[in-house]
């Protein structure tokens, strides 16, 4: 399956301060949406909204079990976007943008 996506939009999503905190939580495995919402002090619907582009393009997998939403990161696919040579400058810009939010 050939998936076309806007690499710049993916990088922007990844380096948004709240989204990056969610992705950091997903580094060691899938988590329940309610846990991610609690960790980032946003609602579950906002978690899903912030990740919607990444979910639509399978960077994040969303599953529902027993009425609960679970999210899992596709680490290889996320890493490939950042490591792609043509996006390296975009990733650096994203880091600089995130740094400006933190300062």
């Amino acid at each position: 399956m050939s998936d076309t996506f806007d690499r710049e939009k993916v990088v922007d999503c990844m380096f948004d301060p709240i989204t990056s905190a969610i992705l950091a939580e997903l580094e060691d495995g899938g988590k329940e949406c309610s846990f991610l919402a609690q960790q980032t002090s946003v609602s579950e619907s906002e978690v899903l909204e912030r990740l919607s582009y990444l979910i639509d393009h399978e960077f994040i997998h969303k599953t529902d079990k027993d009425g609960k939403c679970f999210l899992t990161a596709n680490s290889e696919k996320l890493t490939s976007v950042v490591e792609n040579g043509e996006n390296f400058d975009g990733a650096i810009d994203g880091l600089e943008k995130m740094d400006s939010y933190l300062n």
Side-chain angles (χ1 to χ4, degrees):
M1 172 181 159
S2 177
D3 185 25
T4 57
F5 54 86
D6 181 340
R7 291 185 185 279
E8 186 174 326
K9 188 168 183 172
V10 172
V11 171
D12 285 346
C13 288
M14 290 172 65
F15 291 108
D16 170 81
I18 293 174
T19 307
S20 65
I22 294 168
L23 292 174
E25 288 290 341
L26 295 174
E27 283 181 358
D28 60 349
K31 301 280 189 312
E32 191 174 337
C33 288
S34 61
F35 172 80
L36 297 169
Q38 182 180 20
Q39 294 300 311
T40 56
S41 301
V42 299
S43 67
E44 287 183 50
S45 61
E46 187 172 345
V47 167
L48 293 173
E49 182 181 321
R50 287 178 173 276
L51 297 176
S52 64
Y53 192 79
L54 299 176
I55 292 168
D56 290 345
H57 294 282
E58 299 179 353
F59 290 93
I60 303 290
H61 299 288
K62 178 183 173 240
T63 55
D64 294 304
K65 287 184 187 175
D66 302 322
K68 296 179 182 179
C69 168
F70 290 88
L71 298 172
T72 308
N74 181 339
S75 300
E76 286 181 27
K77 193 168 183 177
L78 286 166
T79 301
S80 72
V81 169
V82 177
E83 289 179 347
N84 185 329
E86 67 191 45
N87 283 315
F88 187 72
D89 290 336
I92 296 300
D93 290 343
L95 288 171
E96 289 171 351
K97 201 183 299 183
M98 186 167 58
D99 185 49
S100 71
Y101 288 129
L102 297 173
N103 292 324

